[in-house]
Amino acid sequence: MAKGNGQISAQTRAPRRIVLLGATGSIGRSTVDLLERDPEGFSVSAVAGGRDVEALARVARAVKAEFAAIRDENAYDALKEALSGTNTQVAAGREAVIEAALRDADLVVSAIVGAAGVEPTYAALTAGRDVALANKECLVCAGVPFMRAAMEAGVRLLPMDSEHNAIFQALGGEDPARIERMIVTASGGPFRTWSKERISQASVEEALNHPNWAMGPKITVDSAGMMNKGLELIEAHHLFSVPAEKLEVVVHPQSIVHGLVAFADGSVTAGMAAPDMRTPIAHCLGYPDRLTTPTPRLDLAKIATLTFEAPDFDRFPALQMALDALRSGGGLPTVLNAANEIAVEAFLDRRIPFDGISRHVAEACEAALRDGTANAPESVEDALAVDHIVRERSRAALAGRAPSGMLTLQ
């Protein structure tokens, strides 16, 4: 493969066929940036998005996608018009996104935000496609059946999140039984040094002002409350078959060390890189090869200082709730995730205060434990059914709520 200015390169190989689910989000856009730089190294079988017709059409044109699917079934005509004059086939609706996931591909990039990504990613997995996983909810909602399906299908499940990708590389094929600790790092988000009282009154704009990463609104709000780290611990538990008691979070404001693995002999390996999502994305796109990318190079002498601190569970109760859900197991992580998604949505709509997110999630988990909703799902379908129940309850509980208080789930 030819090397040029800013172009990705690897050892000469046939073009890899890619399906990109969640093409219009932050991970999708970063993936497209890499794919555009190497049109001879990759071809795109399909792209899928949620509601943004113009953005999906731009992506489809940029990567010359063979097929484009939009989840909003009412957007078919608009997408068809936006892609007129191209050879891209168009479809709309839930089934269309699943069809995109099942297109012929060497790798399916799962970057749909939220539980909406579970069904199409599971379809790709069971069809024998290797999956690069940027969607946390697949494993948080349905980790046991999801990993079982991956094993039965004999496919690779490559972690695309920066933390899990760093740990995957730091493991280096070592025996998981020799792991003493697995550590996920957290930047601390925009509220790392804020008091509990100030955090409770944070505005939407303040929560979206992440110091290190440019991400979508949902994950940015999760990061502000450290719920994202809790979800990542649940994900790591399933990805790496590591028990909850061996998983830890450490706050690292510089976002240079993304994950660490401590072994039985006292050795510790760390995955380090400048905070740019194109680095873990490139690792997955090229695996097992290494691609050459235009991402910033790490200069430790220039950075000079790396700091670490323990998380504060009192100021960030969402992290403790996620850890409790992981330890409890069953369907509680599914409940936690669904309630959190709806609460974050309500916060972004300015219907509840920032600390209302964690309070609502706590109430949802308590209600699910009382009525049996948190029983362990035996299948992905069971997990999605629990997700649906909790979402409906959460929407009802949060409907029209003033920012001053919370309602108990019925």
Side-chain angles (χ1 to χ4, degrees):
M1 186 179 302
K3 296 183 181 181
N5 184 27
Q7 186 177 24
I8 303 172
S9 63
Q11 294 177 355
T12 302
R13 53 169 169 75
R16 300 194 76 187
R17 292 178 62 79
I18 304 295
V19 164
L20 178 54
L21 307 177
T24 60
S26 60
I27 297 294
R29 293 193 299 272
S30 293
T31 303
V32 168
D33 177 76
L34 295 175
L35 296 175
E36 280 191 284
R37 294 171 187 273
D38 192 6
E40 294 182 2
F42 299 95
S43 63
V44 178
S45 301
V47 294
R51 296 183 299 272
D52 193 334
V53 171
E54 292 184 5
L56 185 61
R58 283 197 302 271
V59 167
R61 286 178 178 274
V63 299
K64 298 180 172 60
E66 298 168 10
F67 180 77
I70 191 158
R71 188 176 178 88
D72 182 356
E73 59 187 17
N74 296 317
Y76 174 81
D77 290 339
L79 184 61
K80 185 74 173 175
E81 174 64 25
L83 287 172
S84 62
T86 72
N87 294 322
T88 303
Q89 298 176 349
V90 171
R94 168 181 158 272
E95 292 295 331
V97 176
I98 294 174
E99 181 183 348
L102 294 174
R103 288 276 168 148
D104 180 49
D106 298 302
L107 183 70
V108 175
V109 176
S110 170
I112 295 174
V113 174
V118 174
E119 193 175 23
T121 306
Y122 184 68
L125 200 69
T126 54
R129 309 286 190 268
D130 286 348
V131 172
L133 192 62
N135 172 287
K136 293 178 175 61
E137 289 74 15
C138 288
L139 297 183
V140 174
C141 291
V144 172
F146 217 89
M147 294 305 295
R148 182 172 61 235
M151 185 174 295
E152 291 173 353
V155 299
R156 286 187 181 124
L157 196 56
L158 298 171
M160 191 173 269
D161 267 355
S162 60
E163 297 82 3
H164 301 102
N165 186 268
I167 288 171
F168 177 67
Q169 296 192 58
L171 276 169
E174 295 277 359
D175 181 1
R178 307 308 296 162
I179 296 171
E180 281 193 347
R181 291 179 301 147
M182 186 173 284
I183 304 164
V184 172
T185 63
S187 69
F191 306 149
R192 181 177 67 86
T193 62
W194 288 27
S195 69
K196 185 176 181 178
E197 293 71 27
R198 188 181 176 194
I199 292 172
S200 71
Q201 301 169 21
S203 69
V204 170
E205 291 75 19
E206 288 169 330
L208 293 176
N209 186 28
H210 198 281
N212 298 345
W213 296 95
M215 306 176 288
K218 194 270 181 182
I219 184 62
T220 305
V221 172
D222 280 349
S223 178
M226 291 192 71
M227 175 62 85
N228 69 320
K229 290 302 131 180
L231 299 180
E232 286 168 12
L233 289 179
I234 298 171
E235 191 178 3
H237 164 71
H238 292 293
L239 273 172
F240 305 116
S241 300
V242 174
E245 59 269 19
K246 291 187 177 182
L247 293 168
E248 298 179 12
V249 171
V250 65
V251 176
H252 170 50
Q254 294 80 23
S255 295
I256 297 299
V257 179
H258 302 287
L260 306 97
V261 182
F263 296 99
D265 62 358
S267 301
V268 178
T269 58
M272 305 171 67
D276 188 320
M277 277 306 301
R278 291 177 299 175
T279 299
I281 292 170
H283 181 260
C284 292
L285 290 176
Y287 189 84
D289 293 332
R290 291 280 183 178
L291 306 181
T292 301
T293 69
T295 55
R297 279 11 185 195
L298 191 58
D299 186 339
L300 291 176
K302 184 176 181 180
I303 295 168
T305 302
L306 299 177
T307 60
F308 303 88
E309 58 198 61
D312 186 329
F313 293 101
D314 182 55
R315 290 188 299 126
F316 298 99
L319 178 57
Q320 185 64 62
M321 279 189 281
L323 279 168
D324 291 342
L326 171 58
R327 290 164 183 154
S328 296
L332 203 56
T334 311
V335 174
L336 173 113
N337 179 76
N340 178 66
E341 281 197 29
I342 300 305
V344 169
E345 181 181 287
F347 170 72
L348 289 169
D349 289 342
R350 304 175 194 276
R351 290 186 284 116
I352 64 171
F354 186 79
D355 67 342
I357 298 172
S358 59
R359 286 191 280 136
H360 174 74
V361 173
E363 291 178 358
C365 289
E366 290 167 5
L369 287 170
R370 286 195 303 268
D371 67 14
T373 305
N375 291 340
E378 295 296 324
S379 66
V380 170
E381 291 76 16
D382 288 347
L384 290 173
V386 171
D387 176 86
H388 176 75
I389 291 168
V390 177
R391 285 172 187 274
E392 290 303 304
R393 287 178 173 179
S394 293
R395 288 191 180 101
L398 295 171
R401 177 173 300 175
S404 59
M406 299 294 294
L407 295 177
T408 302
L409 286 172
Q410 301 297 318

